[in-house]
Amino acid sequence: MYLNGQLIFDDTHFDDHRECHVPIQIYLQKEHSDIGFIEQYCSDYIKVNNIFYGRKEYTFVSRPGY
């Protein structure tokens, strides 16, 4: 499906991760911010661990097997 460390950015990426319960890691610039499962997403935000992360400010990375 997705490689460990692969950048995810498209709605289909987020939907795949949410439906298959694949964790994602979140970075602000190059600093780790969070890791967890996608609860919700829209065109502006991704909700992980009950926190909304802006899609324009943060980078999202696939972490299968975490």
Side-chain angles (χ1 to χ4, degrees):
M1 177 184 218
Y2 292 89
L3 299 175
N4 189 28
Q6 181 177 344
L7 293 179
I8 57 173
F9 49 86
D10 191 68
D11 282 352
T12 57
H13 301 160
F14 295 119
D15 197 44
D16 288 344
H17 281 71
R18 185 181 56 80
E19 286 183 5
C20 296
H21 305 287
V22 175
I24 64 168
Q25 192 164 7
I26 302 164
Y27 290 91
L28 180 59
Q29 297 173 353
K30 293 185 179 186
E31 189 171 322
H32 167 79
S33 295
D34 203 353
I35 192 166
F37 298 96
I38 296 173
E39 299 167 22
Q40 296 176 342
Y41 71 92
C42 68
S43 59
D44 296 319
Y45 297 97
I46 305 297
K47 184 178 179 186
V48 174
N49 297 327
N50 210 31
I51 300 170
F52 290 92
Y53 294 96
R55 288 173 68 164
K56 293 180 182 174
E57 293 82 26
Y58 290 87
T59 302
F60 305 93
V61 176
S62 183
R63 289 293 183 218
Y66 178 80

